[in-house]
Amino acid sequence: MSGTPRWRVLLPVALLATALAPALRAAPGGAHLPDVWLLLAFGAIPVPAPFAWRRAVLLTLLLAFLRTSVSSLPFFPALAGLGGAIVLRDLLHRALSVEWPARLLVGACAAALPTWLDARAGATLGLELESGVWWARVLGAAAFWTAWPAARRFLRRGRP
Amino acid sequence: MLLLPGAERERRALLLGAALLISWVLALWPQPAVDEAMRGAAHRYGAPIARGAGWLEAWLRAGGSAPASPAPERTLEAVERAAALPPPLSGGLVWIEVPVRERDPSAGELLLAAGSRLGLGEGMVVACGPHYVGRIVGVTADAALVRGVSAADERTGVAVEGAEAVGECIAIGRGRQGSPVLNWIAAGGEPEEDGREVSFRGRGSDPPALAALGLRIGRAVRQGDAARGDLVWAIEGAWPAAAEGRVCVAAGALPAEPVHAPELLRASAPPRLAADGVFGTQASCWEAPTGFPPAALLRSGRIVGPVIVTGGGAAWVRMDPPAAWGAAAVAVGRERFTRGGGGIPRGLWIGREGDAPPGAGAAEFVRLPAAARPQP
């Protein structure tokens, strides 16, 4: 499980991201930013999925809980969206190559699931995700997933 | 149970797949009780995080709130009061002005915010300006139920103007099924063409002064096909818009005390979070009041928006700009006011077209308390 960050790193990062998320969303253009909890899940849960899945499951549950605590959306769309994105990313990643166009496609497909669920659940409350915002969030998350290996190499530089 | 690594992996995949499937089912077909419990837990135990996020958001946005709009020149209440007064009555009758508490136009029913305590009783005629609204069919001490011409199976004596004579008929309401139909008392009294005016004629027991007013109801139109034998005369027309807010009841005497609008439930609303983590400035979170479920949030005399979600001590409010209210608003010139319904009182100031939701000032939750519905 060398690819999975430790809880003592993950937990403060997740709490900080949750505390910053409403301010980021309220900033000009903030509605177009990708979902921070999805990015955390993409970054913290490796592919292919590790044999011990407990940490990945607990992290997904924690991120869904944190997301619900600062949003009007219910818990289950958040959990289903994050869980679905992680599973779909894993399945597609195994099937496709690891080159960047394939990573972009995998990231976009995986991010489309929670974004669609957000739009659907928001519509029942009278909250709207415009199509431009929807695409920006999906492509933003896909770009993150494409750039993640390089970012990770940069973060881990100098370590054995 | 000892399982080989491959089998163990399959077992975990199955368990996880089942859990994911359940969460998808609950996301696509939400169960209100489950959602409420989970949201309540997240908002209760996540309150410190939400408050911290709110503090961060306020610190980053310091001094960025929109300027307050000047107060409206006229209130909806003043406009409706001027429009609701019918022609003067004679014969010892007077009009009592009564606010409307709830409305159901499709069923043809209104619930008034006064009852027998202020002298209202069954059978009294209700009007709004020169229009007939209906008749009181049930009262409690503080509420009265009015059924209009279109209410299901409601029978109203009406007069239809003709080229030479006035036809007398009974209008029979059909509720949500359609417009009320006309049942002619005298054969051959039908008008020659569509569009003839239908006015209130009343019952034999009504004071003649009421029938003499000729309160308007609508216009007679033909519906159906004569060749198929289903041609009927129906009344086309709706209540005037002001009747959703204020009507006048014909009574024998004025009440000892004036009729006031119903008292609202109010509670201060401390802010928790100014923006939603997923939907941004479309929603904001406030500390929910104890004692009543809030319906809307008021700030600086303007309504911010309806409460969309409550639970775990938090209440989420949709930040609707005036243009987003649509049919839930009443326009008076450029001003928009709430139309009322769903616990939101009528006549709260929304703002002007193009205004942003109010971003500063003391906030309070409001709700119109529910009233016992009189039985007809």
Side-chain angles (χ1 to χ4, degrees), chain B residues 172-273:
Chain B
I172 302 171
R174 292 192 289 170
R176 295 180 213 277
Q177 288 180 1
S179 314
V181 293
L182 292 169
N183 191 9
W184 301 90
I185 291 173
E190 291 92 341
E192 310 75 28
E193 56 188 10
D194 285 6
R196 293 290 184 175
E197 188 150 308
V198 180
S199 56
F200 176 69
R201 181 170 58 82
R203 299 173 182 160
S205 57
D206 284 333
L210 270 176
L213 284 178
L215 296 169
R216 285 185 224 148
I217 292 178
R219 298 199 169 271
V221 291
R222 270 174 285 214
Q223 289 182 352
D225 187 358
R228 290 192 306 184
D230 63 356
L231 180 76
V232 291
W233 281 89
I235 303 175
E236 204 171 62
W239 284 327
E244 291 188 356
R246 197 163 285 269
V247 292
C248 289
V249 180
L254 284 170
E257 52 182 291
V259 183
H260 295 292
E263 201 74 25
L264 300 183
L265 299 173
R266 292 173 182 270
S268 66
R272 188 184 273 199
L273 201 50

Side-chain angles (χ1 to χ4, degrees), chain A residues 51 53 70 72 80 125 128 137, chain B residues 12 16 276-278 282 318:
Chain A
F51 181 75
W53 288 353
V70 292
S72 53
L125 299 173
E128 195 185 355
R137 290 189 185 186
Chain B
R12 287 184 188 183
L16 274 178
D276 186 301
V278 177
Q282 289 186 53
R318 202 171 61 221

Side-chain angles (χ1 to χ4, degrees), chain B residues 1-346:
Chain B
M1 189 166 59
L2 179 66
L3 293 171
L4 294 173
E8 175 64 16
R9 195 179 184 93
E10 295 290 323
R11 189 181 71 89
R12 287 184 188 183
L14 270 174
L15 280 175
L16 274 178
L20 190 62
L21 184 70
I22 291 169
S23 70
W24 268 85
V25 168
L26 287 170
L28 294 176
W29 292 278
Q31 301 300 310
V34 181
D35 270 354
E36 208 171 294
M38 292 306 295
R39 187 188 273 127
H43 285 148
R44 182 164 291 113
Y45 300 115
I49 305 165
R51 289 195 188 101
W55 178 83
L56 260 177
E57 201 276 336
W59 180 68
L60 291 170
R61 185 182 43 89
S65 59
S69 300
E73 291 169 6
R74 291 179 300 169
T75 62
L76 181 64
E77 185 184 333
V79 172
E80 285 179 344
R81 182 165 276 165
L85 197 64
L89 278 168
S90 58
L93 290 173
V94 287
W95 291 113
I96 303 176
E97 195 186 299
V98 184
V100 173
R101 183 186 273 271
E102 290 169 22
R103 66 181 191 283
D104 188 351
S106 59
E109 292 182 350
L110 292 177
L111 188 65
L112 305 187
S116 57
R117 208 153 50 83
L118 291 169
L120 303 193
E122 287 179 22
M124 287 179 167
V125 168
V126 180
C128 179
H131 298 270
Y132 173 79
V133 172
R135 200 181 279 278
I136 294 177
V137 295
V139 286
T140 61
D142 294 306
L145 180 67
V146 176
R147 284 169 66 85
V149 178
S150 61
D153 211 29
E154 181 72 12
R155 283 146 202 267
T156 311
V158 299
V160 183
E161 72 164 16
E164 295 170 359
V166 173
E168 293 189 345
C169 32
I170 306 288
I172 302 171
R174 292 192 289 170
R176 295 180 213 277
Q177 288 180 1
S179 314
V181 293
L182 292 169
N183 191 9
W184 301 90
I185 291 173
E190 291 92 341
E192 310 75 28
E193 56 188 10
D194 285 6
R196 293 290 184 175
E197 188 150 308
V198 180
S199 56
F200 176 69
R201 181 170 58 82
R203 299 173 182 160
S205 57
D206 284 333
L210 270 176
L213 284 178
L215 296 169
R216 285 185 224 148
I217 292 178
R219 298 199 169 271
V221 291
R222 270 174 285 214
Q223 289 182 352
D225 187 358
R228 290 192 306 184
D230 63 356
L231 180 76
V232 291
W233 281 89
I235 303 175
E236 204 171 62
W239 284 327
E244 291 188 356
R246 197 163 285 269
V247 292
C248 289
V249 180
L254 284 170
E257 52 182 291
V259 183
H260 295 292
E263 201 74 25
L264 300 183
L265 299 173
R266 292 173 182 270
S268 66
R272 188 184 273 199
L273 201 50
D276 186 301
V278 177
F279 290 95
T281 50
Q282 289 186 53
S284 60
C285 186
W286 306 75
E287 303 289 345
T290 50
F292 70 94
L297 184 79
L298 273 177
R299 198 169 200 186
S300 308
R302 278 178 63 195
I303 189 161
V304 177
V307 174
I308 49 173
V309 163
T310 53
W316 284 90
V317 175
R318 202 171 61 221
M319 311 283 277
D320 284 344
W325 282 78
V330 179
V332 178
R334 285 185 62 229
E335 311 288 350
R336 298 284 184 277
F337 297 91
T338 53
R339 192 177 175 196
I344 299 177
R346 186 180 176 86

